[in-house]
Amino acid sequence: MAKILVVEDEKQIRRVIELHLTKAGHEIRKCANGQEGIEQITAEHFDLVITDLQMPKINGLEFLEKLRALGVSVPSIVMTAFGSVETAVEAMKLGAADYLSKPLQLTELSLRVDSILSRNQIEEENKQLKKELAGKFRMGGIVGKSPVVRKLVERLKPLANDGDISVLLIGESGTGKELAAKAIHYNSPRSEKRFIAVNCGALPENLLESELFGYEKGAFTDAKKTKIGIFEAANGGSLFLDEIGSMPLNMQVKLLRALEEREIRRVGGTKGIGVDVRFIAASNQDLESLVKEGRFRQDLFYRLAVATVNLPPLRKREGDIRLLTLHFLEKFNSEKKRAVKIKAEVFSLLENHRWTGNIRELENLVELLVVTAADNEISISTLPESFLHGNKLTWESLDEIEVTGQLRAAMENFERKFISTCLGDNEGNVSKTAKEIGISRSSLHSKIKELKISRQ
Ligand SMILES: Nc1ncnc2c1ncn2[C@@H]1O[C@H](COP(=O)(O)OP(=O)(O)OP(=O)(O)O)[C@@H](O)[C@H]1O
Ligand SMILES: [Mg+2]
């Protein structure tokens, strides 16, 4: 099971421990003092060390100190004479995981050994899982070989490495802002800590505040007990502020203060709590024009946009549509245990599409195609009707849109028309519409709010 080193000067006790733990299935090595212990432990790997404290030459405490100085990290249990708790405390300070009083109780010994070994195992497994996750979000997790995507990855790398610099991700809906944020986090020195995403557009101001900063017991009627907020939960890690452009102005002030002071106050609380997080913000609206319109605070903009990264829309990623289609095909085939293939003729149609919903739209389409493919083959006839004829907006209905004046206003008019038409076609069903036009539900919700679209 585990390999254990026993360091004990009394031969009798060494022998008893060895017999007992060998019977439990462990592999035991023994030595009579700290000096020998150091030699053993630098020569081979151990899962656990059990050491006496009173020993000739190098005693137990010196032994632990030495291990620490050598950078050997192995969990240890110290054995101490009955009553000398102070030395045990000293040993725990030096990193011992537990202590046992002498005379030894063998059942006690087994219990402590098992508990430390299983704690160890869970920690190992967690590390492994995190590594796998990191692998998934390695920069290579951003699929694409077009020059714009290569440039994007090169831009993200140093920002990830730094670990502290605030990054603002700007890109149309579905261009992979969240994916890029995760790539930054999981490739940063903070990768072992949490990545927490919060959608700043989805919550009303008061909820957003208690969500971000937490609240003290009694801060408001429903605050039955103190709750920590996202800032505190993400401490040491990264906080992804999604749709930052939709954050209410009042909240922007509070966020800026937290950013500048690196400290937060829970709702209803008076004491400042220090937090250390990296901020990654994302927006699908051009924040600078929001600043000009007075809808976004300039000081907050500068604070968040220390480094700005633009995510290119899919239509500018030359050659990536095919690659991404195959990537998603592989993904959904494996998720759905299918073996669907795609006919070459389909690609030219895909490459001519406008992809307003970008990579998400493509991903959703591929999922649909895998599900609906007859005879495990995607051909032109598998593509949805609406896809073949473009979107359901007709030229006649486009005529009604006011396209004079400023570009931004014209675009908003178009978006309003487009979204309300699609919503109408889906009887106001937001999820369905979002999927169809290739944006996230939350983006659609904020668009509906922002553009004052009626859901009827
Ligand atoms: N380059 C890429 N390679 C592989 N998958 C990608 C890539 N870019 C995006 N995706 C996938 O596309 C989907 C949408 O990406 P993501 O959620 O990161 O976009 P977003 O910009 O945050 O969208 P929104 O503005 O709608 O919130 C996700 O499933 C993501 O994994
Ligand atoms: Mg997103």
Side-chain angles (χ1 to χ4, degrees), residues 342-372:
I342 188 162
K343 279 179 127 176
E345 60 190 39
V346 180
F347 285 117
S348 60
L349 270 176
L350 296 183
E351 273 156 6
N352 283 325
H353 188 65
R354 252 192 77 72
W355 301 111
T356 42
N358 293 293
I359 296 109
R360 178 179 294 105
E361 183 185 359
L362 178 59
E363 183 175 6
N364 290 342
L365 177 74
V366 175
E367 179 175 17
L368 177 74
L369 295 179
V370 167
V371 170
T372 52

PDB file of all heavy atoms in Angstrom, residues 342-372:
ATOM      1  N   ILE A 342     -18.757  13.979 -41.931  1.00  0.00           N
ATOM      2  CA  ILE A 342     -19.308  15.141 -42.636  1.00  0.00           C
ATOM      3  C   ILE A 342     -18.826  15.125 -44.084  1.00  0.00           C
ATOM      4  O   ILE A 342     -17.664  14.825 -44.365  1.00  0.00           O
ATOM      5  CB  ILE A 342     -18.920  16.453 -41.918  1.00  0.00           C
ATOM      6  CG1 ILE A 342     -19.634  17.649 -42.523  1.00  0.00           C
ATOM      7  CG2 ILE A 342     -17.417  16.676 -41.915  1.00  0.00           C
ATOM      8  CD1 ILE A 342     -19.643  18.868 -41.609  1.00  0.00           C
ATOM      9  N   LYS A 343     -19.753  15.385 -45.020  1.00  0.00           N
ATOM     10  CA  LYS A 343     -19.378  15.376 -46.438  1.00  0.00           C
ATOM     11  C   LYS A 343     -18.690  16.695 -46.793  1.00  0.00           C
ATOM     12  O   LYS A 343     -19.060  17.756 -46.289  1.00  0.00           O
ATOM     13  CB  LYS A 343     -20.627  15.206 -47.302  1.00  0.00           C
ATOM     14  CG  LYS A 343     -21.076  13.758 -47.418  1.00  0.00           C
ATOM     15  CD  LYS A 343     -22.306  13.670 -48.266  1.00  0.00           C
ATOM     16  CE  LYS A 343     -22.169  12.668 -49.396  1.00  0.00           C
ATOM     17  NZ  LYS A 343     -23.455  12.563 -50.142  1.00  0.00           N
ATOM     18  N   ALA A 344     -17.724  16.611 -47.678  1.00  0.00           N
ATOM     19  CA  ALA A 344     -16.924  17.790 -48.017  1.00  0.00           C
ATOM     20  C   ALA A 344     -17.777  18.926 -48.559  1.00  0.00           C
ATOM     21  O   ALA A 344     -17.494  20.100 -48.320  1.00  0.00           O
ATOM     22  CB  ALA A 344     -15.852  17.410 -49.023  1.00  0.00           C
ATOM     23  N   GLU A 345     -18.862  18.573 -49.276  1.00  0.00           N
ATOM     24  CA  GLU A 345     -19.711  19.603 -49.900  1.00  0.00           C
ATOM     25  C   GLU A 345     -20.295  20.587 -48.873  1.00  0.00           C
ATOM     26  O   GLU A 345     -20.598  21.724 -49.211  1.00  0.00           O
ATOM     27  CB  GLU A 345     -20.862  18.919 -50.644  1.00  0.00           C
ATOM     28  CG  GLU A 345     -21.719  18.093 -49.678  1.00  0.00           C
ATOM     29  CD  GLU A 345     -22.750  17.193 -50.359  1.00  0.00           C
ATOM     30  OE1 GLU A 345     -22.411  16.612 -51.399  1.00  0.00           O
ATOM     31  OE2 GLU A 345     -23.878  17.104 -49.840  1.00  0.00           O
ATOM     32  N   VAL A 346     -20.423  20.128 -47.637  1.00  0.00           N
ATOM     33  CA  VAL A 346     -21.037  20.975 -46.612  1.00  0.00           C
ATOM     34  C   VAL A 346     -20.146  22.171 -46.270  1.00  0.00           C
ATOM     35  O   VAL A 346     -20.627  23.264 -45.993  1.00  0.00           O
ATOM     36  CB  VAL A 346     -21.334  20.155 -45.333  1.00  0.00           C
ATOM     37  CG1 VAL A 346     -21.974  21.019 -44.266  1.00  0.00           C
ATOM     38  CG2 VAL A 346     -22.206  18.964 -45.679  1.00  0.00           C
ATOM     39  N   PHE A 347     -18.830  21.953 -46.347  1.00  0.00           N
ATOM     40  CA  PHE A 347     -17.905  23.003 -45.906  1.00  0.00           C
ATOM     41  C   PHE A 347     -18.058  24.315 -46.662  1.00  0.00           C
ATOM     42  O   PHE A 347     -17.979  25.382 -46.082  1.00  0.00           O
ATOM     43  CB  PHE A 347     -16.456  22.514 -46.002  1.00  0.00           C
ATOM     44  CG  PHE A 347     -16.110  21.558 -44.901  1.00  0.00           C
ATOM     45  CD1 PHE A 347     -15.756  20.247 -45.179  1.00  0.00           C
ATOM     46  CD2 PHE A 347     -16.164  21.955 -43.577  1.00  0.00           C
ATOM     47  CE1 PHE A 347     -15.452  19.356 -44.162  1.00  0.00           C
ATOM     48  CE2 PHE A 347     -15.864  21.073 -42.552  1.00  0.00           C
ATOM     49  CZ  PHE A 347     -15.504  19.775 -42.845  1.00  0.00           C
ATOM     50  N   SER A 348     -18.297  24.219 -47.990  1.00  0.00           N
ATOM     51  CA  SER A 348     -18.364  25.475 -48.737  1.00  0.00           C
ATOM     52  C   SER A 348     -19.560  26.302 -48.255  1.00  0.00           C
ATOM     53  O   SER A 348     -19.485  27.529 -48.174  1.00  0.00           O
ATOM     54  CB  SER A 348     -18.434  25.211 -50.239  1.00  0.00           C
ATOM     55  OG  SER A 348     -19.584  24.455 -50.513  1.00  0.00           O
ATOM     56  N   LEU A 349     -20.655  25.601 -47.920  1.00  0.00           N
ATOM     57  CA  LEU A 349     -21.811  26.338 -47.388  1.00  0.00           C
ATOM     58  C   LEU A 349     -21.476  26.957 -46.035  1.00  0.00           C
ATOM     59  O   LEU A 349     -21.831  28.092 -45.750  1.00  0.00           O
ATOM     60  CB  LEU A 349     -23.001  25.407 -47.236  1.00  0.00           C
ATOM     61  CG  LEU A 349     -23.898  25.308 -48.456  1.00  0.00           C
ATOM     62  CD1 LEU A 349     -24.998  24.288 -48.224  1.00  0.00           C
ATOM     63  CD2 LEU A 349     -24.510  26.666 -48.776  1.00  0.00           C
ATOM     64  N   LEU A 350     -20.782  26.170 -45.207  1.00  0.00           N
ATOM     65  CA  LEU A 350     -20.426  26.691 -43.882  1.00  0.00           C
ATOM     66  C   LEU A 350     -19.501  27.893 -44.013  1.00  0.00           C
ATOM     67  O   LEU A 350     -19.621  28.878 -43.293  1.00  0.00           O
ATOM     68  CB  LEU A 350     -19.738  25.604 -43.044  1.00  0.00           C
ATOM     69  CG  LEU A 350     -20.564  24.375 -42.677  1.00  0.00           C
ATOM     70  CD1 LEU A 350     -19.743  23.441 -41.798  1.00  0.00           C
ATOM     71  CD2 LEU A 350     -21.849  24.777 -41.962  1.00  0.00           C
ATOM     72  N   GLU A 351     -18.589  27.797 -44.972  1.00  0.00           N
ATOM     73  CA  GLU A 351     -17.625  28.887 -45.111  1.00  0.00           C
ATOM     74  C   GLU A 351     -18.251  30.163 -45.654  1.00  0.00           C
ATOM     75  O   GLU A 351     -17.699  31.249 -45.474  1.00  0.00           O
ATOM     76  CB  GLU A 351     -16.433  28.436 -45.972  1.00  0.00           C
ATOM     77  CG  GLU A 351     -15.379  27.762 -45.107  1.00  0.00           C
ATOM     78  CD  GLU A 351     -14.467  26.790 -45.846  1.00  0.00           C
ATOM     79  OE1 GLU A 351     -14.558  26.690 -47.078  1.00  0.00           O
ATOM     80  OE2 GLU A 351     -13.684  26.124 -45.138  1.00  0.00           O
ATOM     81  N   ASN A 352     -19.402  30.033 -46.284  1.00  0.00           N
ATOM     82  CA  ASN A 352     -20.056  31.232 -46.794  1.00  0.00           C
ATOM     83  C   ASN A 352     -21.060  31.856 -45.839  1.00  0.00           C
ATOM     84  O   ASN A 352     -21.625  32.903 -46.123  1.00  0.00           O
ATOM     85  CB  ASN A 352     -20.771  30.916 -48.118  1.00  0.00           C
ATOM     86  CG  ASN A 352     -19.767  30.824 -49.248  1.00  0.00           C
ATOM     87  OD1 ASN A 352     -18.776  31.557 -49.248  1.00  0.00           O
ATOM     88  ND2 ASN A 352     -19.980  29.913 -50.172  1.00  0.00           N
ATOM     89  N   HIS A 353     -21.267  31.214 -44.731  1.00  0.00           N
ATOM     90  CA  HIS A 353     -22.239  31.728 -43.766  1.00  0.00           C
ATOM     91  C   HIS A 353     -21.642  32.922 -43.023  1.00  0.00           C
ATOM     92  O   HIS A 353     -20.426  33.049 -42.920  1.00  0.00           O
ATOM     93  CB  HIS A 353     -22.600  30.593 -42.796  1.00  0.00           C
ATOM     94  CG  HIS A 353     -23.715  30.915 -41.869  1.00  0.00           C
ATOM     95  ND1 HIS A 353     -24.993  31.137 -42.309  1.00  0.00           N
ATOM     96  CD2 HIS A 353     -23.756  31.033 -40.513  1.00  0.00           C
ATOM     97  CE1 HIS A 353     -25.766  31.389 -41.257  1.00  0.00           C
ATOM     98  NE2 HIS A 353     -25.036  31.340 -40.162  1.00  0.00           N
ATOM     99  N   ARG A 354     -22.500  33.781 -42.481  1.00  0.00           N
ATOM    100  CA  ARG A 354     -21.969  34.979 -41.817  1.00  0.00           C
ATOM    101  C   ARG A 354     -21.562  34.775 -40.363  1.00  0.00           C
ATOM    102  O   ARG A 354     -20.770  35.498 -39.814  1.00  0.00           O
ATOM    103  CB  ARG A 354     -22.999  36.121 -41.888  1.00  0.00           C
ATOM    104  CG  ARG A 354     -22.555  37.187 -42.861  1.00  0.00           C
ATOM    105  CD  ARG A 354     -23.385  38.439 -42.721  1.00  0.00           C
ATOM    106  NE  ARG A 354     -23.019  39.238 -41.556  1.00  0.00           N
ATOM    107  CZ  ARG A 354     -21.902  39.939 -41.456  1.00  0.00           C
ATOM    108  NH1 ARG A 354     -21.022  39.930 -42.427  1.00  0.00           N
ATOM    109  NH2 ARG A 354     -21.649  40.648 -40.376  1.00  0.00           N
ATOM    110  N   TRP A 355     -22.114  33.799 -39.717  1.00  0.00           N
ATOM    111  CA  TRP A 355     -21.732  33.457 -38.343  1.00  0.00           C
ATOM    112  C   TRP A 355     -21.799  34.646 -37.375  1.00  0.00           C
ATOM    113  O   TRP A 355     -20.820  34.968 -36.715  1.00  0.00           O
ATOM    114  CB  TRP A 355     -20.329  32.821 -38.293  1.00  0.00           C
ATOM    115  CG  TRP A 355     -20.226  31.589 -39.112  1.00  0.00           C
ATOM    116  CD1 TRP A 355     -19.512  31.421 -40.251  1.00  0.00           C
ATOM    117  CD2 TRP A 355     -20.891  30.343 -38.877  1.00  0.00           C
ATOM    118  NE1 TRP A 355     -19.694  30.151 -40.751  1.00  0.00           N
ATOM    119  CE2 TRP A 355     -20.541  29.473 -39.912  1.00  0.00           C
ATOM    120  CE3 TRP A 355     -21.781  29.874 -37.890  1.00  0.00           C
ATOM    121  CZ2 TRP A 355     -21.025  28.165 -40.011  1.00  0.00           C
ATOM    122  CZ3 TRP A 355     -22.266  28.586 -37.981  1.00  0.00           C
ATOM    123  CH2 TRP A 355     -21.881  27.742 -39.028  1.00  0.00           C
ATOM    124  N   THR A 356     -22.977  35.252 -37.315  1.00  0.00           N
ATOM    125  CA  THR A 356     -23.131  36.368 -36.375  1.00  0.00           C
ATOM    126  C   THR A 356     -22.957  35.898 -34.934  1.00  0.00           C
ATOM    127  O   THR A 356     -22.564  36.671 -34.074  1.00  0.00           O
ATOM    128  CB  THR A 356     -24.524  37.028 -36.516  1.00  0.00           C
ATOM    129  OG1 THR A 356     -25.470  35.983 -36.663  1.00  0.00           O
ATOM    130  CG2 THR A 356     -24.573  37.953 -37.703  1.00  0.00           C
ATOM    131  N   GLY A 357     -23.265  34.612 -34.695  1.00  0.00           N
ATOM    132  CA  GLY A 357     -23.094  34.081 -33.333  1.00  0.00           C
ATOM    133  C   GLY A 357     -21.746  33.415 -33.150  1.00  0.00           C
ATOM    134  O   GLY A 357     -21.496  32.753 -32.140  1.00  0.00           O
ATOM    135  N   ASN A 358     -20.899  33.578 -34.158  1.00  0.00           N
ATOM    136  CA  ASN A 358     -19.504  33.128 -34.090  1.00  0.00           C
ATOM    137  C   ASN A 358     -19.335  31.658 -33.715  1.00  0.00           C
ATOM    138  O   ASN A 358     -20.093  30.817 -34.180  1.00  0.00           O
ATOM    139  CB  ASN A 358     -18.719  34.057 -33.178  1.00  0.00           C
ATOM    140  CG  ASN A 358     -18.612  35.430 -33.796  1.00  0.00           C
ATOM    141  OD1 ASN A 358     -17.968  35.582 -34.812  1.00  0.00           O
ATOM    142  ND2 ASN A 358     -19.307  36.408 -33.232  1.00  0.00           N
ATOM    143  N   ILE A 359     -18.329  31.377 -32.866  1.00  0.00           N
ATOM    144  CA  ILE A 359     -17.980  29.983 -32.615  1.00  0.00           C
ATOM    145  C   ILE A 359     -19.112  29.246 -31.909  1.00  0.00           C
ATOM    146  O   ILE A 359     -19.364  28.078 -32.164  1.00  0.00           O
ATOM    147  CB  ILE A 359     -16.665  29.867 -31.829  1.00  0.00           C
ATOM    148  CG1 ILE A 359     -15.522  30.429 -32.694  1.00  0.00           C
ATOM    149  CG2 ILE A 359     -16.308  28.415 -31.554  1.00  0.00           C
ATOM    150  CD1 ILE A 359     -14.969  31.704 -32.245  1.00  0.00           C
ATOM    151  N   ARG A 360     -19.838  29.961 -31.040  1.00  0.00           N
ATOM    152  CA  ARG A 360     -20.944  29.279 -30.371  1.00  0.00           C
ATOM    153  C   ARG A 360     -22.000  28.833 -31.370  1.00  0.00           C
ATOM    154  O   ARG A 360     -22.539  27.741 -31.283  1.00  0.00           O
ATOM    155  CB  ARG A 360     -21.585  30.139 -29.290  1.00  0.00           C
ATOM    156  CG  ARG A 360     -22.758  29.364 -28.669  1.00  0.00           C
ATOM    157  CD  ARG A 360     -23.491  30.047 -27.560  1.00  0.00           C
ATOM    158  NE  ARG A 360     -22.669  30.229 -26.379  1.00  0.00           N
ATOM    159  CZ  ARG A 360     -22.150  31.375 -26.030  1.00  0.00           C
ATOM    160  NH1 ARG A 360     -22.360  32.440 -26.780  1.00  0.00           N
ATOM    161  NH2 ARG A 360     -21.434  31.477 -24.949  1.00  0.00           N
ATOM    162  N   GLU A 361     -22.276  29.687 -32.350  1.00  0.00           N
ATOM    163  CA  GLU A 361     -23.269  29.335 -33.360  1.00  0.00           C
ATOM    164  C   GLU A 361     -22.828  28.084 -34.117  1.00  0.00           C
ATOM    165  O   GLU A 361     -23.615  27.168 -34.357  1.00  0.00           O
ATOM    166  CB  GLU A 361     -23.465  30.516 -34.330  1.00  0.00           C
ATOM    167  CG  GLU A 361     -24.548  30.250 -35.365  1.00  0.00           C
ATOM    168  CD  GLU A 361     -24.669  31.372 -36.410  1.00  0.00           C
ATOM    169  OE1 GLU A 361     -23.929  32.371 -36.318  1.00  0.00           O
ATOM    170  OE2 GLU A 361     -25.503  31.214 -37.319  1.00  0.00           O
ATOM    171  N   LEU A 362     -21.536  28.034 -34.452  1.00  0.00           N
ATOM    172  CA  LEU A 362     -21.009  26.872 -35.163  1.00  0.00           C
ATOM    173  C   LEU A 362     -21.102  25.619 -34.283  1.00  0.00           C
ATOM    174  O   LEU A 362     -21.517  24.550 -34.735  1.00  0.00           O
ATOM    175  CB  LEU A 362     -19.553  27.137 -35.577  1.00  0.00           C
ATOM    176  CG  LEU A 362     -18.838  25.994 -36.296  1.00  0.00           C
ATOM    177  CD1 LEU A 362     -19.572  25.605 -37.572  1.00  0.00           C
ATOM    178  CD2 LEU A 362     -17.398  26.387 -36.634  1.00  0.00           C
ATOM    179  N   GLU A 363     -20.755  25.785 -33.016  1.00  0.00           N
ATOM    180  CA  GLU A 363     -20.804  24.650 -32.097  1.00  0.00           C
ATOM    181  C   GLU A 363     -22.231  24.107 -31.982  1.00  0.00           C
ATOM    182  O   GLU A 363     -22.459  22.901 -32.072  1.00  0.00           O
ATOM    183  CB  GLU A 363     -20.296  25.093 -30.708  1.00  0.00           C
ATOM    184  CG  GLU A 363     -20.246  23.962 -29.709  1.00  0.00           C
ATOM    185  CD  GLU A 363     -19.625  24.390 -28.365  1.00  0.00           C
ATOM    186  OE1 GLU A 363     -19.333  25.594 -28.175  1.00  0.00           O
ATOM    187  OE2 GLU A 363     -19.438  23.501 -27.528  1.00  0.00           O
ATOM    188  N   ASN A 364     -23.187  25.027 -31.816  1.00  0.00           N
ATOM    189  CA  ASN A 364     -24.585  24.594 -31.712  1.00  0.00           C
ATOM    190  C   ASN A 364     -25.053  23.907 -32.987  1.00  0.00           C
ATOM    191  O   ASN A 364     -25.781  22.927 -32.948  1.00  0.00           O
ATOM    192  CB  ASN A 364     -25.498  25.794 -31.433  1.00  0.00           C
ATOM    193  CG  ASN A 364     -25.297  26.337 -30.032  1.00  0.00           C
ATOM    194  OD1 ASN A 364     -24.755  25.650 -29.166  1.00  0.00           O
ATOM    195  ND2 ASN A 364     -25.712  27.565 -29.805  1.00  0.00           N
ATOM    196  N   LEU A 365     -24.613  24.452 -34.118  1.00  0.00           N
ATOM    197  CA  LEU A 365     -25.019  23.855 -35.388  1.00  0.00           C
ATOM    198  C   LEU A 365     -24.473  22.437 -35.499  1.00  0.00           C
ATOM    199  O   LEU A 365     -25.187  21.507 -35.868  1.00  0.00           O
ATOM    200  CB  LEU A 365     -24.522  24.703 -36.567  1.00  0.00           C
ATOM    201  CG  LEU A 365     -24.858  24.072 -37.925  1.00  0.00           C
ATOM    202  CD1 LEU A 365     -26.350  24.221 -38.225  1.00  0.00           C
ATOM    203  CD2 LEU A 365     -24.026  24.663 -39.048  1.00  0.00           C
ATOM    204  N   VAL A 366     -23.197  22.261 -35.166  1.00  0.00           N
ATOM    205  CA  VAL A 366     -22.595  20.927 -35.300  1.00  0.00           C
ATOM    206  C   VAL A 366     -23.314  19.931 -34.388  1.00  0.00           C
ATOM    207  O   VAL A 366     -23.580  18.796 -34.783  1.00  0.00           O
ATOM    208  CB  VAL A 366     -21.078  20.956 -35.016  1.00  0.00           C
ATOM    209  CG1 VAL A 366     -20.502  19.549 -35.051  1.00  0.00           C
ATOM    210  CG2 VAL A 366     -20.362  21.835 -36.027  1.00  0.00           C
ATOM    211  N   GLU A 367     -23.688  20.390 -33.199  1.00  0.00           N
ATOM    212  CA  GLU A 367     -24.417  19.482 -32.302  1.00  0.00           C
ATOM    213  C   GLU A 367     -25.733  19.035 -32.951  1.00  0.00           C
ATOM    214  O   GLU A 367     -26.053  17.852 -32.983  1.00  0.00           O
ATOM    215  CB  GLU A 367     -24.710  20.163 -30.958  1.00  0.00           C
ATOM    216  CG  GLU A 367     -25.481  19.229 -30.036  1.00  0.00           C
ATOM    217  CD  GLU A 367     -25.709  19.796 -28.633  1.00  0.00           C
ATOM    218  OE1 GLU A 367     -25.569  21.022 -28.469  1.00  0.00           O
ATOM    219  OE2 GLU A 367     -26.025  18.998 -27.739  1.00  0.00           O
ATOM    220  N   LEU A 368     -26.434  20.027 -33.508  1.00  0.00           N
ATOM    221  CA  LEU A 368     -27.696  19.706 -34.162  1.00  0.00           C
ATOM    222  C   LEU A 368     -27.469  18.735 -35.324  1.00  0.00           C
ATOM    223  O   LEU A 368     -28.214  17.773 -35.509  1.00  0.00           O
ATOM    224  CB  LEU A 368     -28.323  21.011 -34.671  1.00  0.00           C
ATOM    225  CG  LEU A 368     -29.619  20.852 -35.453  1.00  0.00           C
ATOM    226  CD1 LEU A 368     -30.748  20.521 -34.501  1.00  0.00           C
ATOM    227  CD2 LEU A 368     -29.944  22.139 -36.222  1.00  0.00           C
ATOM    228  N   LEU A 369     -26.422  18.977 -36.101  1.00  0.00           N
ATOM    229  CA  LEU A 369     -26.151  18.127 -37.257  1.00  0.00           C
ATOM    230  C   LEU A 369     -25.834  16.695 -36.839  1.00  0.00           C
ATOM    231  O   LEU A 369     -26.271  15.743 -37.470  1.00  0.00           O
ATOM    232  CB  LEU A 369     -24.987  18.703 -38.084  1.00  0.00           C
ATOM    233  CG  LEU A 369     -25.266  20.061 -38.745  1.00  0.00           C
ATOM    234  CD1 LEU A 369     -24.032  20.550 -39.506  1.00  0.00           C
ATOM    235  CD2 LEU A 369     -26.466  19.985 -39.679  1.00  0.00           C
ATOM    236  N   VAL A 370     -25.076  16.559 -35.748  1.00  0.00           N
ATOM    237  CA  VAL A 370     -24.730  15.213 -35.277  1.00  0.00           C
ATOM    238  C   VAL A 370     -26.006  14.473 -34.857  1.00  0.00           C
ATOM    239  O   VAL A 370     -26.196  13.302 -35.162  1.00  0.00           O
ATOM    240  CB  VAL A 370     -23.727  15.287 -34.099  1.00  0.00           C
ATOM    241  CG1 VAL A 370     -23.600  13.942 -33.398  1.00  0.00           C
ATOM    242  CG2 VAL A 370     -22.365  15.742 -34.605  1.00  0.00           C
ATOM    243  N   VAL A 371     -26.895  15.222 -34.206  1.00  0.00           N
ATOM    244  CA  VAL A 371     -28.126  14.592 -33.726  1.00  0.00           C
ATOM    245  C   VAL A 371     -29.046  14.212 -34.877  1.00  0.00           C
ATOM    246  O   VAL A 371     -29.698  13.171 -34.854  1.00  0.00           O
ATOM    247  CB  VAL A 371     -28.856  15.548 -32.743  1.00  0.00           C
ATOM    248  CG1 VAL A 371     -30.243  15.045 -32.408  1.00  0.00           C
ATOM    249  CG2 VAL A 371     -28.030  15.710 -31.478  1.00  0.00           C
ATOM    250  N   THR A 372     -29.089  15.066 -35.898  1.00  0.00           N
ATOM    251  CA  THR A 372     -30.074  14.831 -36.955  1.00  0.00           C
ATOM    252  C   THR A 372     -29.525  14.088 -38.177  1.00  0.00           C
ATOM    253  O   THR A 372     -30.288  13.765 -39.074  1.00  0.00           O
ATOM    254  CB  THR A 372     -30.683  16.174 -37.436  1.00  0.00           C
ATOM    255  OG1 THR A 372     -29.606  17.059 -37.759  1.00  0.00           O
ATOM    256  CG2 THR A 372     -31.535  16.802 -36.348  1.00  0.00           C
TER     257      THR A 372
END
